[in-house]
Amino acid sequence: MKRIFSLILCLPAISVSAQDMSLPPIPDGSENAFDLQITDSMDALTGLSNQEAFEELPYDSIIVEYASPLGFNGAPSMAAAAQMGATAVQLTPQRFELEISQFAVAPDPDNLAPGEVDFNARIEMLQNSAESDPNVLRWYPNYEVTSQDAEPMLLLQWHYGARGNFDDGKFPGGTNIAEAWQYGMGSHDVVVAVLDTGILFGHEDMDPDNIIQGYDFVSSLDAAADGNGWDSDPTDPGDACGDGDVSSWHGTHVAGTIGAVDSRNGLGIAGVAGDVSIIHVRVLGKCGGSTGDIVTAVRWAADIIPDEELVRLRIPPVEQKAHIINLSLGGRGVCVDGLADIYQEVLDSGTLVIAAAGNSADDARLYSPAGCPAVLTVAASGIDGKLADRYSNYGPSVNIMGPGGDIQTDWNNDGYGDGVLSTIQGGYNFYNGTSMAAPHVAGVAALIFSREPGISPRRVAAYLLGYSHPVAREDCDYKECGSGLLDARFLAPN
């Protein structure tokens, strides 16, 4: 793995103009674009029943949340779960994980159906039981989730540059972000939560004054790799999964794209919105994380967990509610109603969730959280401005494309792969993936929140989609890749 330890970027000086800094009008027809895409995505998802979703995207445990701690009836409920070949593990006073045995089990003596109950039948029985129980608030599959990046390489930050032709010294996949910096690099009052592998505190390009107290929501002791489960320290101890594997420092890379100290500090790189505040929330550990931990962290960062539930969970409230939550992570799994409801509640509370579409060159509807309707889902483009079809997911649930890069190409003939540069342990490196695309969109969203305090997340999404650069169908490999490519030019002076 090659790393850059002391690369200095030559970026244009930032001059804050005295001109009118108000946002331009949202383009005609784009005011409700995000809500319309939510409706379209919901319609696209409702074609699968829960059982059909399982058959398409299997899982071996579900999370069941009760409306109150009294909903779970102790030993009788444990026994009922055991009869269906499941073990009920209490995670919190109101939340249980039902781990489903892979082995067929003998039916209950009172069950009229003869023979053993197979795995798929027990899944359906558990689903039906959860849906019919009036004490159940929601249930959802506990999918395995991983970061959504790929292999690193070297290059400069072409992804912030002006859009244009290579012959003119510009990039077809540029986003015009550097132009928007003439009005500044965001407000300290705007908060972005990065839910990822955690953070490397002390990196030279991370301003400690811009960091708000985060949390570690990795519950598995094996995955946590720090000796405990949930705790108040979101430090990234490494996520190497096995022998010979190396840690990615993925959360630090993502956070750097959003909020690395701007070019005025004379060090390393610039983030899209280097003056905003960031909450680092650790949800991924060795080999990934779980949906159960992630949705709890999402609700925590959005400040929608009721006080009494915080007490039962034994966690403090978030210091400042996040305007934006970046999820550069995902796993194969349909966004069932229980998950969709959580993300809808987060959006309705005033927080915009931005998620990576995934790196399987597949339909993003088959992945979570990318397939959840109230999430703004980001596919990846390359330096050529086209869908990075070697890896990027696509489909009706994708809202927009952002620069994800591709280290296997060198379209500008500079001798380096066309990756996305950001912060890691010991310096900087280039990664590619939809994990890299999402924080570009999150950063521009933070600039919009900074320019218009009090703006709703739906209007922020409308700006992002309405001013995106249209992409020809052939440049998306004749697949659906959202409204177009992220373009921050509308934030620059006229």
Side-chain angles (χ1 to χ4, degrees), residues 222-478:
D222 288 339
D226 61 359
N228 52 35
W230 289 8
D231 62 67
S232 60
D233 182 5
T235 298
D236 185 351
D239 61 349
C241 193
D243 293 341
D245 197 8
V246 294
S247 293
S248 66
W249 316 113
H250 187 272
T252 300
H253 195 280
V254 169
T257 297
I258 295 171
V261 180
D262 63 68
S263 59
R264 289 170 291 185
N265 75 341
L267 296 172
I269 65 164
V272 176
D275 289 336
V276 303
S277 297
I278 296 182
I279 306 172
H280 300 285
V281 185
R282 186 173 181 241
V283 295
L284 301 176
K286 285 174 53 180
C287 308
S290 72
T291 297
D293 288 342
I294 290 166
V295 295
T296 301
V298 167
R299 295 176 64 227
W300 180 79
D303 198 22
I304 61 171
I305 299 179
D307 290 344
E308 59 272 19
E309 186 177 350
L310 290 171
V311 171
R312 288 194 294 270
L313 293 174
R314 298 181 180 179
I315 58 175
V318 66
E319 287 187 8
Q320 289 182 245
K321 176 183 175 65
H323 295 84
I324 301 160
I325 295 174
N326 187 89
L327 298 175
S328 288
L329 48 78
R332 192 166 168 81
V334 168
C335 185
V336 299
D337 290 345
L339 288 173
D341 290 346
I342 291 171
Y343 287 108
Q344 186 66 56
E345 183 182 1
V346 170
L347 177 64
D348 292 342
S349 79
T351 296
L352 181 62
V353 178
I354 297 174
N359 295 339
S360 300
D362 196 4
D363 192 329
R365 289 175 296 180
L366 303 180
Y367 296 78
S368 177
C372 292
V375 170
L376 196 148
T377 299
V378 185
S381 59
I383 195 173
D384 58 352
K386 302 177 182 180
L387 178 73
D389 58 2
R390 178 175 67 82
Y391 63 82
S392 181
N393 285 356
Y394 51 83
S397 65
V398 169
N399 301 104
I400 194 170
M401 289 198 302
D406 189 342
I407 58 89
Q408 294 188 10
T409 67
D410 182 18
W411 285 97
N412 58 348
N413 297 313
D414 64 355
Y416 302 111
D418 300 333
V420 171
L421 177 65
S422 191
T423 44
I424 63 166
Q425 186 183 56
Y428 309 88
N429 212 340
F430 279 81
Y431 292 177
N432 58 202
T434 55
S435 274
M436 285 64 254
H440 284 84
V441 178
V444 174
L447 295 178
I448 299 171
F449 274 110
S450 299
R451 289 274 290 274
E452 188 175 311
I455 189 173
S456 73
R458 286 178 168 84
R459 281 185 61 82
V460 172
Y463 272 108
L464 292 167
L465 303 183
Y467 281 100
S468 62
H469 182 73
V471 178
R473 289 190 67 241
E474 58 267 27
D475 290 342
C476 282
D477 198 28
Y478 297 95

Side-chain angles (χ1 to χ4, degrees), residues 27-386:
D28 291 344
S30 297
E31 180 73 40
N32 300 313
F34 189 41
D35 282 330
L36 291 173
Q37 288 195 327
I38 288 175
T39 302
D40 290 344
S41 187
M42 287 287 282
D43 291 343
L45 286 174
T46 53
L48 287 178
S49 69
N50 286 327
Q51 182 61 22
E52 289 169 335
F54 165 71
E55 291 170 356
E56 177 70 25
L57 304 162
Y59 46 88
D60 58 12
S61 72
I62 65 174
I63 301 293
V64 179
E65 295 184 14
Y66 289 89
S68 78
L70 301 178
F72 190 82
N73 189 22
S77 294
M78 294 279 193
Q83 288 175 2
M84 290 183 279
T87 302
V89 179
Q90 185 172 9
L91 304 175
T92 71
Q94 291 174 236
R95 192 160 63 108
F96 290 78
E97 180 177 11
L98 297 181
E99 298 176 344
I100 305 150
S101 171
Q102 295 287 340
F103 299 99
V105 297
D108 181 75
D110 297 327
N111 192 334
L112 298 178
E116 295 183 332
V117 184
D118 68 15
F119 182 78
N120 286 14
R122 282 182 281 121
I123 286 281
E124 187 170 11
M125 291 165 64
L126 287 167
Q127 291 173 345
N128 292 339
S129 176
E131 291 179 354
S132 62
D133 187 341
N135 296 313
V136 170
L137 179 64
R138 63 174 71 93
W139 73 271
Y140 46 85
N142 195 24
Y143 298 121
E144 294 182 358
V145 178
T146 60
S147 58
Q148 296 295 306
D149 67 328
E151 63 272 40
M153 197 57 180
L154 304 176
L155 193 61
L156 296 179
Q157 289 178 289
W158 55 267
H159 31 101
Y160 297 163
R163 176 177 292 106
N165 297 320
F166 290 124
D167 291 342
D168 298 328
K170 300 179 180 180
F171 309 100
T175 56
N176 296 307
I177 285 172
E179 291 188 49
W181 290 341
Q182 296 179 67
Y183 277 153
M185 301 188 76
S187 166
H188 192 71
D189 294 330
V190 172
V191 179
V192 182
V194 178
L195 276 59
D196 215 289
T197 63
I199 183 65
L200 292 168
F201 291 106
H203 193 288
E204 64 182 6
D205 249 338
M206 294 293 181
D207 186 349
D209 292 336
N210 289 351
I211 296 175
I212 296 173
Q213 177 63 49
Y215 210 77
D216 178 356
F217 281 97
V218 179
S219 60
S220 165
L221 294 182
D222 288 339
D226 61 359
N228 52 35
W230 289 8
D231 62 67
S232 60
D233 182 5
T235 298
D236 185 351
D239 61 349
C241 193
D243 293 341
D245 197 8
V246 294
S247 293
S248 66
W249 316 113
H250 187 272
T252 300
H253 195 280
V254 169
T257 297
I258 295 171
V261 180
D262 63 68
S263 59
R264 289 170 291 185
N265 75 341
L267 296 172
I269 65 164
V272 176
D275 289 336
V276 303
S277 297
I278 296 182
I279 306 172
H280 300 285
V281 185
R282 186 173 181 241
V283 295
L284 301 176
K286 285 174 53 180
C287 308
S290 72
T291 297
D293 288 342
I294 290 166
V295 295
T296 301
V298 167
R299 295 176 64 227
W300 180 79
D303 198 22
I304 61 171
I305 299 179
D307 290 344
E308 59 272 19
E309 186 177 350
L310 290 171
V311 171
R312 288 194 294 270
L313 293 174
R314 298 181 180 179
I315 58 175
V318 66
E319 287 187 8
Q320 289 182 245
K321 176 183 175 65
H323 295 84
I324 301 160
I325 295 174
N326 187 89
L327 298 175
S328 288
L329 48 78
R332 192 166 168 81
V334 168
C335 185
V336 299
D337 290 345
L339 288 173
D341 290 346
I342 291 171
Y343 287 108
Q344 186 66 56
E345 183 182 1
V346 170
L347 177 64
D348 292 342
S349 79
T351 296
L352 181 62
V353 178
I354 297 174
N359 295 339
S360 300
D362 196 4
D363 192 329
R365 289 175 296 180
L366 303 180
Y367 296 78
S368 177
C372 292
V375 170
L376 196 148
T377 299
V378 185
S381 59
I383 195 173
D384 58 352
K386 302 177 182 180

